[in-house]
Amino acid sequence: MSFTYDQLKTAIQDYTENDETTFVNNLSLFIRQAEERILKSVQLSLFRKNVTASSTASNKFLACPSDFLSPFSLSLAGTDGDKFFIDFKDPSFVQTYTPDATTTGSPRYYAVFDVDNFILAPTPNTTFTAELHYFYRPASLNAGSGSGTTWLSQNAELSLLYGALVEAYIFMKGEQDMMTYYDKRFTESLTGLKMLGEAKETTDEYRTGKVIRAKQ
């Protein structure tokens, strides 16, 4: 089972039996809020991305991707092509390490300086090819067409549906027992996603063997 954007909006209306104009106008908001809760609750490879860029000699800043949320790793490669990883630190540490930005060399540390930039220390003495592995914000289901889908709408349809229903009932100031029920179903659905993202995606049977559950 999976949802297109239109199918999910229809399902929300069917479950809530609500076609009031203001409610319908906010269906995309309920979906986006559900996606946000999933994004902040579960680690999935879906939320990881790799990009490359180039640092500039004598420039201590390296631009962040527009969809950047947090880093996993940053590596640099000079003209010889050899890759090396640099350590993530607090901005105050990076600026204390190289208080004079005109001091250049091969960077050893990086930090998130502001919403648009990383800061490197020491300041690069040449052009480096940077490869950033990072946690990013995927495009929302409502960013596409009515027949469009996303990974979440195809593989986490229960989490998306029940998360949106919780937000819909909050908007409606609906019955507390139904809101509690939908929130419980949402939480239960996240357990399966967590199992996928934080266990199954990070191991294989060759090294760890099959998962064996205790007998009841």
Side-chain angles (χ1 to χ4, degrees):
M1 174 181 166
S2 64
F3 287 116
T4 64
Y5 181 37
D6 282 344
Q7 287 172 339
L8 182 54
K9 289 192 295 183
T10 299
I12 295 169
Q13 287 185 262
D14 289 345
Y15 272 75
T16 58
E17 298 181 334
N18 191 340
D19 59 2
E20 189 270 326
T21 301
T22 304
F23 179 83
V24 173
N25 289 341
N26 280 280
L27 289 172
S28 62
L29 174 62
F30 307 149
I31 294 170
R32 196 163 63 247
Q33 289 172 324
E35 290 171 331
E36 186 71 12
R37 290 186 67 183
I38 296 169
L39 176 69
K40 300 297 176 57
S41 300
V42 184
Q43 294 185 44
L44 291 167
S45 59
L46 164 71
F47 304 141
R48 291 174 176 255
K49 183 187 282 191
N50 271 65
V51 295
T52 57
S54 295
S55 68
T56 304
S58 301
N59 183 358
K60 63 181 179 179
F61 295 114
L62 178 67
C64 294
S66 59
D67 55 2
F68 172 83
L69 291 176
S70 66
F72 290 119
S73 66
L74 176 62
S75 66
L76 301 176
T79 54
D80 58 5
D82 291 341
K83 180 187 294 187
F84 60 95
F85 288 87
I86 61 177
D87 294 330
F88 183 63
K89 295 289 186 179
D90 186 85
S92 59
F93 176 94
V94 172
Q95 293 177 90
T96 300
Y97 181 79
T98 311
D100 182 357
T102 63
T103 301
T104 63
S106 179
R108 295 183 57 189
Y109 305 105
Y110 76 107
V112 176
F113 184 75
D114 57 30
V115 71
D116 295 316
N117 295 283
F118 296 112
I119 183 171
L120 308 175
T123 301
N125 58 355
T126 187
T127 297
F128 289 92
T129 299
E131 182 175 0
L132 176 69
H133 185 49
Y134 68 104
F135 180 50
Y136 83 107
R137 183 182 300 283
S140 172
L141 178 61
N142 61 32
S145 66
S147 60
T149 60
T150 63
W151 189 96
L152 287 178
S153 76
Q154 292 181 309
N155 299 280
E157 65 277 1
L158 290 179
S159 296
L160 205 51
L161 172 61
Y162 286 113
L165 285 172
V166 170
E167 301 302 329
Y169 262 77
I170 292 173
F171 178 87
M172 292 167 57
K173 301 176 179 61
E175 300 90 342
Q176 185 60 46
D177 59 339
M178 287 303 299
M179 196 181 306
T180 300
Y181 172 75
Y182 286 140
D183 193 57
K184 180 175 180 291
R185 293 297 303 271
F186 174 70
T187 301
E188 289 173 345
S189 70
L190 286 184
T191 301
L193 275 184
K194 284 179 176 288
M195 186 68 175
L196 172 64
E198 298 167 21
K200 292 180 180 178
E201 284 190 333
T202 58
T203 60
D204 65 17
E205 289 187 3
Y206 175 71
R207 295 295 183 188
T208 63
K210 291 184 178 180
V211 175
I212 301 176
R213 294 183 175 85
K215 293 181 179 180
Q216 300 298 322

